[in-house]
Amino acid sequence: MQTQFFPSRTVSVYMARMFLVRSFAVLAALVLVLQALDLLGEADKILAYPGNGNAELWTYVTLRVPQIVARFLPFSVLLGTLITLITLNQNSEVISMKASGLSAHQVLAPLILASLLVAAISFTFNERIVARASDTLDRWEKADFGPLPKDKALQTNVWVRDGNNLIHAAEVRGRGATTRLDKITVYDREADSLLQIVEAPTARLSPQGWTLTDATRFKVAQGTSEPMGTITIGQDIRPDQFTLAQVDPDGLSFMALREAIADLKDAGRPTRALEANLWHKISGPMSSVLMPLLGAVAAFGLARSGQLFLRAVIGMALGFAYFVADNFGLAMGNLGAYPPWLAAWGPFLLFFLIGETVLVRTEE
């Protein structure tokens, strides 16, 4: 039996290259098909804005492709694993490696090492490209695919409750004491009745509350409107209620999301759902490392026995079961039913143990 963990250098490079080529080929095919289908569904919305044309369609493609790549890279790794191992099995290369004294884990070692490289690439790609593309696309969709605001820190369409009253800010800029609200609408309510609507072009934080300039008031009962000048509202409303009202974990990098969570904690607001998404930014790319283990059942067993197809189906079923469990865990984390670490890492650890159990009991 071989004492080294990896096969020979030649065999390791050969297997890793097969695995990477097939995984990225499957990814390219999936991205091409899914992007075409997605563009067919969104083209009408993009072209509905006056002046939009082919350039805006290509802009949408450049922003949507990174999201599709991030979403379906683990699927591609699973399919690339199955194709690679089935090919090796059919050509009796796995039997040759086991006959030379290699264990099942040693046969899979080059694929696991290559999948670690894929996981590192996936994490870097998500941090540097996907987060920015998701944030830009989200802001573009909120602008109905019109011109994007130049201020990237701008938040739009923010709602805050002040007792029975509702406050709507069309645009929010800045942070902390420098927070500025634009196009403010205050809905003054008593129980379920709307008494008046106050509108102002801008509002800034002051020691007394939020100072609205050039405000106007519309009295619902009388149906009349009157100017109010400068008024102050919302003495108990904190700036973070506006600036942290919309924290999109998909549009933030790991460090940016971590800072947002820290700000929310300082403000005494719940963060369990965001913490689950924070840790999933690591466990998500790491799912690529599981795919060679879950698909390993397709590598072993005699190809001429007629069970190779069944083994491939079992490997695919294990892989897709992991994705279902991963999405379920993240959903439970967002609802607060699971602790953040369990929501992010629970499915990974569970299917790692399942994959190891299947491999050891059948092949080792």
Side-chain angles (χ1 to χ4, degrees), residues 67-90:
Q67 293 182 331
I68 297 176
V69 170
R71 175 69 61 86
F72 290 95
L73 179 58
F75 289 93
S76 303
V77 173
L78 172 63
L79 296 178
T81 297
L82 292 172
I83 295 172
T84 299
L85 296 179
I86 289 173
T87 303
L88 293 173
N89 195 350
Q90 285 182 324

Side-chain angles (χ1 to χ4, degrees), residues 164-327:
N164 286 329
N165 300 336
L166 290 176
I167 301 175
H168 175 257
E171 297 178 351
V172 179
R173 292 181 172 85
R175 190 175 180 180
T178 63
T179 303
R180 191 186 79 186
L181 313 179
D182 292 332
K183 301 176 184 178
I184 311 301
T185 305
V186 181
Y187 297 90
D188 187 2
R189 304 189 304 169
E190 182 177 346
D192 294 331
S193 301
L194 181 61
L195 302 180
Q196 60 184 12
I197 300 175
V198 178
E199 295 181 329
T202 60
R204 290 185 179 275
L205 185 64
S206 66
Q208 293 76 29
W210 293 89
T211 301
L212 280 63
T213 57
D214 299 328
T216 59
R217 175 173 60 186
F218 175 76
K219 295 182 178 180
V220 176
Q222 292 79 13
T224 59
S225 180
E226 61 182 10
M228 299 183 66
T230 300
I231 62 172
T232 302
I233 64 168
Q235 182 178 1
D236 297 327
I237 299 178
R238 304 183 308 272
D240 62 84
Q241 291 181 257
F242 289 102
T243 58
L244 298 177
Q246 299 174 345
V247 177
D248 180 16
D250 294 332
L252 297 175
S253 65
F254 182 86
M255 294 306 300
L257 181 56
R258 188 175 180 180
E259 291 177 1
I261 291 174
D263 291 341
L264 287 169
K265 284 184 175 180
D266 292 340
R269 299 172 64 181
T271 61
R272 290 169 65 93
L274 292 176
E275 288 177 23
N277 284 274
L278 177 69
W279 292 115
H280 194 264
K281 287 182 176 291
I282 298 178
S283 65
M286 284 295 293
S287 63
S288 298
V289 182
L290 279 181
M291 297 305 108
L293 191 61
L294 297 179
V297 67
F300 307 102
L302 297 177
R304 63 177 179 272
S305 67
Q307 296 183 355
L308 182 58
F309 177 76
L310 177 61
R311 285 174 167 267
V313 171
I314 293 174
M316 187 175 296
L318 285 173
F320 279 93
Y322 165 75
F323 295 122
V324 172
D326 184 54
N327 289 330

